[in-house]
Amino acid sequence: MRRHVFLTGLPGVGKTTLIHKTIDVLKSSGVPIDGFYTEEVRKNGRRIGFDVVTVSGKRGTLSRTRNDAGTLNSGRCEYRVGQYAVDLPSFERLALPLLTNVNGKDDKEKKVYVIDEIGKMELFSEPFIQAVRQILDGTAATILGTIPVPKGKPLGLVEDIRSRRDVKIFNITKDNRNSIVQEIIATVQDCRKLNGN
């Protein structure tokens, strides 16, 4: 009994592109969608960080490289992943309102929640972890999300997602990324039916 769908795969393999394609098809079918995805930010052809972008088009800073960290909204940065300084206040301001009260009575029209991604940067936020767990454990919504491939120290929430019996995980590769979108869409629609939508 699958309730949620996650994509995993190496960085740059096309997970977010597949999320966009799935969103487009589901929206055109009348499926209510909310949530966010991450997007690379480039300057002079070089990646300088990531932004968080909501499905409705609002944008906020997620991270910047050390050289570009002066552009962070929160000033001094306490959280880092590799060369990136994470703007946790900016991320939480944008992402948390989308994910809270999903299982409450006020949010019944929003049934598919995009969470791209659940990775090291996002997992600095304890409220984000709690919100994702609540959606996973509830029955009012289906998550369409992405998680990283295992590398280095295990990430608690990511490992929990991998071990859940109500989660379908698609491993995205260069070989299957152009042919798998219909299967992802069908699985999300099946999950919605199971959740009573």
Side-chain angles (χ1 to χ4, degrees):
M1 299 208 336
R2 313 289 182 166
R3 295 189 182 276
H4 308 287
V5 177
F6 283 86
L7 313 184
T8 191
L10 295 173
V13 78
K15 298 182 295 293
T16 300
T17 300
L18 283 169
I19 291 282
H20 283 291
K21 289 179 179 178
T22 304
I23 289 171
D24 290 345
V25 171
L26 292 174
K27 272 186 170 179
S28 69
S29 302
V31 175
I33 298 179
D34 208 345
F36 69 89
Y37 55 90
T38 55
E39 195 171 84
E40 280 188 2
V41 177
R42 293 188 169 268
K43 183 176 176 183
N44 300 325
R46 184 180 60 87
R47 184 169 71 194
I48 62 164
F50 296 91
D51 278 356
V52 139
V53 184
T54 67
V55 170
S56 63
K58 293 180 184 172
R59 177 180 293 268
T61 302
L62 175 59
S63 66
R64 292 294 184 266
T65 58
R66 285 186 174 94
N67 295 339
D68 294 280
T71 63
L72 295 182
N73 298 325
S74 59
R76 191 173 67 85
C77 179
E78 301 173 37
Y79 304 99
R80 296 194 176 276
V81 175
Q83 66 176 331
Y84 298 103
V86 179
D87 191 338
L88 200 59
S90 173
F91 169 70
E92 289 182 339
R93 269 194 308 274
L94 202 60
L96 291 180
L98 302 172
L99 304 178
T100 53
N101 202 29
V102 168
N103 295 316
K105 294 175 184 169
D106 299 337
D107 210 12
K108 289 214 177 263
E109 78 283 2
K110 297 175 184 169
K111 300 298 182 190
V112 175
Y113 284 82
V114 174
I115 306 177
D116 171 35
E117 91 176 331
I118 299 173
K120 285 182 182 178
M121 292 182 189
E122 295 83 1
L123 293 177
F124 283 123
S125 171
E126 193 59 41
F128 172 73
I129 293 170
Q130 292 172 4
V132 172
R133 286 191 190 282
Q134 284 183 335
I135 300 171
L136 285 167
D137 292 338
T139 58
T142 295
I143 294 175
L144 170 62
T146 64
I147 54 176
V149 295
K151 180 183 174 186
K153 183 181 175 187
L155 304 172
L157 179 58
V158 173
E159 294 311 308
D160 291 350
I161 289 168
R162 284 186 193 289
S163 66
R164 290 180 68 106
R165 297 178 68 192
D166 62 349
V167 168
K168 168 69 176 173
I169 296 178
F170 288 93
N171 186 29
I172 308 305
T173 66
K174 288 182 179 179
D175 293 335
N176 71 7
R177 66 185 178 190
N178 294 323
S179 60
I180 202 167
V181 70
Q182 289 304 323
E183 188 179 350
I184 294 168
I185 293 163
T187 305
V188 171
Q189 290 172 328
D190 287 345
C191 289
R192 289 186 70 242
K193 288 175 190 165
L194 186 63
N195 284 336
N197 301 307

